[in-house]
Amino acid sequence: NNNMNNNNVNNSNSDSNNDSNKNEKDVHILTNQDIFQYLKIDSLTLNIFRVLPMSIGNSIQQRANNDTSQAPEQIINLELAFPTSGYVIGWEIYAIKKGRVIMQVWRFSNTKNKFQLVGEQISIIEEVGLQKIEFQPTESLLQFQKGDVVGWRAPDGGIICWDSGGDKVLLHADLDRSKYMQRTYSVKVVIFVG
């Protein structure tokens, strides 16, 4: 289920990793067949909406690192930003263990210097490896605006593998501490824009 929350995450603490290696984002335009699979709609409906399906994020693959702590983990990827307004259709991740993962959309507030949670989708990961998380017909799609960023919460500890370097992410090991790191996570968001 999607939950509209007003949770805020402070953006004031800074503990940077100096590794400045930059990985290019995958931006892949999906076919009509792909979008039909996610939306469960026909070509006429798609033409009426005039949507442009695409995905943003990193390649989904096994990576060198994973977080072994069982403590809840909150990640906000500051560079995995939506290029325009639209809707989230689904997510793709590479899971290194079973457990719960809450995929999220965050919005930066200039006035409060904080991030505000726009919405989220809770999923239970039952297998290790590539996972495709889709919205169910009874769920409302997550709507995002240009500049919103992707985040996720792992209540049972880190569940998505990562490589050192790349994206600037805000990592919360718990609710009281936060720090900036540079990590490339196996996370991709499937979206459509109109």
Side-chain angles (χ1 to χ4, degrees):
N1 294 330
N2 295 333
N3 300 319
M4 299 305 292
N5 295 311
N6 291 320
N7 296 353
N8 289 324
V9 174
N10 202 322
N11 189 33
S12 58
N13 295 335
S14 179
D15 180 14
S16 295
N17 181 324
N18 292 324
D19 189 342
S20 60
N21 292 335
K22 193 65 190 166
N23 291 343
E24 217 174 280
K25 293 286 173 301
D26 293 339
V27 178
H28 173 63
I29 303 299
L30 301 180
T31 65
N32 282 347
Q33 183 177 359
D34 293 326
I35 197 69
F36 298 156
Q37 177 184 350
Y38 280 105
L39 291 181
K40 310 295 191 296
I41 60 177
D42 58 29
S43 58
L44 177 61
T45 306
L46 187 63
N47 288 334
I48 291 174
F49 283 127
R50 298 173 185 268
V51 297
L52 175 63
M54 62 185 295
S55 63
I56 61 171
N58 299 311
S59 60
I60 307 304
Q61 63 189 52
Q62 188 170 9
R63 297 183 184 273
N65 304 297
N66 58 73
D67 297 311
T68 57
S69 171
Q70 299 301 310
E73 181 179 76
Q74 173 69 59
I75 303 287
I76 299 178
N77 190 323
L78 304 180
E79 297 183 47
L80 189 50
F82 296 102
T84 186
S85 299
Y87 294 85
V88 174
I89 301 169
W91 318 82
E92 295 182 10
I93 66 171
Y94 195 99
I96 49 87
K97 67 179 183 181
K98 300 177 183 179
R100 295 171 295 168
V101 63
I102 305 169
M103 305 305 297
Q104 303 168 324
V105 174
W106 290 85
R107 182 170 300 151
F108 182 69
S109 171
N110 287 321
T111 56
K112 298 181 179 179
N113 197 35
K114 294 180 178 180
F115 286 93
Q116 182 178 28
L117 182 62
V118 175
E120 60 186 16
Q121 182 187 20
I122 303 173
S123 296
I124 305 296
I125 303 302
E126 298 180 343
E127 295 181 2
V128 173
L130 170 63
Q131 305 295 319
K132 293 187 177 183
I133 304 169
E134 299 179 2
F135 280 89
Q136 301 304 310
T138 56
E139 294 180 297
S140 299
L141 297 179
L142 272 180
Q143 187 172 11
F144 56 81
Q145 296 179 5
K146 181 179 180 179
D148 289 350
V149 295
V150 173
W152 58 93
R153 181 167 175 78
D156 308 311
I159 199 169
I160 303 173
C161 58
W162 52 276
D163 288 330
S164 297
D167 298 342
K168 185 177 182 181
V169 300
L170 186 59
L171 170 64
H172 295 256
D174 56 46
L175 297 179
D176 300 318
R177 297 182 302 156
S178 64
K179 57 184 177 181
Y180 290 105
M181 305 288 287
Q182 284 189 284
R183 295 179 174 181
T184 300
Y185 283 90
S186 286
V187 172
K188 186 175 292 186
V189 191
V190 185
I191 65 175
F192 71 82
V193 299

